Amino acid sequence: MAVELLRYEFPATEKIRTFLRLSTLFKQLEWYAQQDHMHDHQAALDKYFEIQEVTNRGDQKNDILQELERVRVYLAPLSTNPNIDQDSLKKTLDLIQERRNALNNVGIRISHLSSQNDFLKQLSQRSSMPAATCEFDAPLYHHWLNSDPEMRKAHLKQWIEPFRPYREAIDLILGLLRGNAETTDAVAVKGAYQKDLQGKNFSLTQIYVDPSLNVIPNGAANRYLLTVRFIPVSFDTPVTSNAVAKDIPFQLSLCNI
């Protein structure tokens, strides 16, 4: 039986770092929103406000549109390449345009969405303070959490829907990026590994390692050199930055478009 390797991803740019954070939060939000328990819906709103906080730090709509355009410009010339599956290429280019159109139709930034609803606006203000949404702090929230689960799910679906163009565009970008990877088998000798990047730029580094080895990777890169150090897993003793003393086999994927 093949060992299932655990993937670690290291973004090389702030833009991809934000996309990865938002993608994770969107997945968590949608999972919690589909459950029935009040605590799941409480967690869903926590994720909702985390997304608002992340998007306060920049213009994600413009960043995503720029990245979609960059990918389109890269892919479009391949339409004359006989070695490329033209049907798949056309579907991808059409999907990029569809995602661009959907984003262009978004009328308000993610970070401003909660301000359009008084309940969410008040809850957002209280959520930024520790333990400030107890029933005596936010009685309307307490009432909502104890209302019919189907009603809560309907509210969450309505509040989440404006995120969809962002989520779908980010998922497309990350999917294309991950699908365009240079993958090699490697060994970190005594826990340390270096690779000459020869001046190439990569947006995302993926490291796959057997979780039974009980190590985690730390990666750092510039356009010339990639360095990976594996450190031991420990939940009871102080975390160490020292590499393990044994050789660690792993898979390395360098992603870029």
Side-chain angles (χ1 to χ4, degrees):
M1 181 176 178
V3 175
E4 184 172 352
L5 303 180
L6 182 60
R7 185 185 72 186
Y8 296 85
E9 292 190 316
F10 298 92
T13 68
E14 189 60 34
K15 183 185 295 185
I16 297 301
R17 182 175 290 108
T18 299
F19 289 173
L20 289 170
R21 285 171 175 161
L22 286 173
S23 178
T24 297
L25 288 170
F26 287 144
K27 289 184 178 107
Q28 293 172 344
L29 167 60
E30 292 184 0
W31 188 88
Y32 284 123
Q34 292 168 5
Q35 309 310 307
D36 293 321
H37 199 280
M38 69 167 65
H39 293 324
D40 290 312
H41 292 170
Q42 190 172 24
L45 282 177
D46 288 342
K47 297 303 173 184
Y48 182 96
F49 295 129
E50 280 188 59
I51 291 169
Q52 300 256 294
E53 181 63 27
V54 170
T55 55
N56 267 330
R57 303 167 192 168
D59 185 354
Q60 270 67 47
K61 178 179 175 180
N62 189 54
D63 286 346
I64 296 169
L65 287 171
Q66 287 180 351
E67 193 66 16
L68 287 172
E69 176 61 12
R70 189 184 71 82
V71 175
R72 186 196 68 78
V73 169
Y74 171 79
L75 293 177
L78 299 179
S79 60
T80 58
N81 188 331
N83 298 317
I84 299 297
D85 184 336
Q86 294 300 316
D87 288 339
S88 296
L89 177 61
K90 185 179 184 305
K91 288 178 182 178
T92 299
L93 289 171
D94 289 345
L95 194 55
I96 289 173
Q97 188 58 48
E98 182 182 318
R99 298 294 183 256
R100 292 176 67 198
N101 292 341
L103 264 181
N104 279 321
N105 290 329
V106 172
I108 186 170
R109 291 174 59 174
I110 286 181
S111 56
H112 295 164
L113 284 172
S114 63
S115 65
Q116 307 300 299
N117 180 297
D118 286 340
F119 171 63
L120 292 178
K121 182 178 179 180
Q122 294 175 19
L123 191 58
S124 175
Q125 293 168 348
R126 300 212 64 85
S127 294
S128 62
M129 299 178 284
T133 56
C134 293
E135 60 192 79
F136 51 85
D137 291 311
L140 182 59
Y141 185 40
H142 180 65
H143 176 85
W144 184 82
L145 288 173
N146 284 276
S147 62
D148 177 63
E150 293 304 316
M151 186 197 78
R152 295 198 308 267
K153 289 165 76 171
H155 281 158
L156 288 167
K157 182 178 179 180
Q158 175 187 348
W159 298 334
I160 292 170
E161 178 61 21
F163 291 166
R164 183 171 56 82
Y166 290 87
R167 177 183 57 78
E168 291 180 344
I170 288 174
D171 285 348
L172 175 60
I173 292 168
L174 293 178
L176 291 172
L177 183 60
R178 289 165 174 149
N180 196 36
E182 298 178 9
T183 302
T184 57
D185 292 324
V187 176
V189 179
K190 294 185 178 180
Y193 174 85
Q194 287 188 333
K195 179 179 177 64
D196 183 357
L197 297 180
Q198 300 177 338
K200 295 181 181 179
N201 290 318
F202 295 95
S203 299
L204 184 68
T205 299
Q206 297 176 320
I207 295 173
Y208 296 82
V209 63
D210 182 348
S212 69
L213 295 175
N214 285 321
V215 294
I216 55 175
N218 280 338
N222 54 41
R223 60 183 301 185
Y224 301 107
L225 187 68
L226 168 70
T227 300
V228 179
R229 291 170 60 85
F230 287 91
I231 62 176
V233 169
S234 177
F235 302 106
D236 301 313
T237 59
V239 176
T240 177
S241 59
N242 296 328
V244 295
K246 60 184 178 181
D247 294 351
I248 303 295
F250 67 102
Q251 287 184 355
L252 174 67
S253 292
L254 300 174
C255 312
N256 201 34
I257 299 177

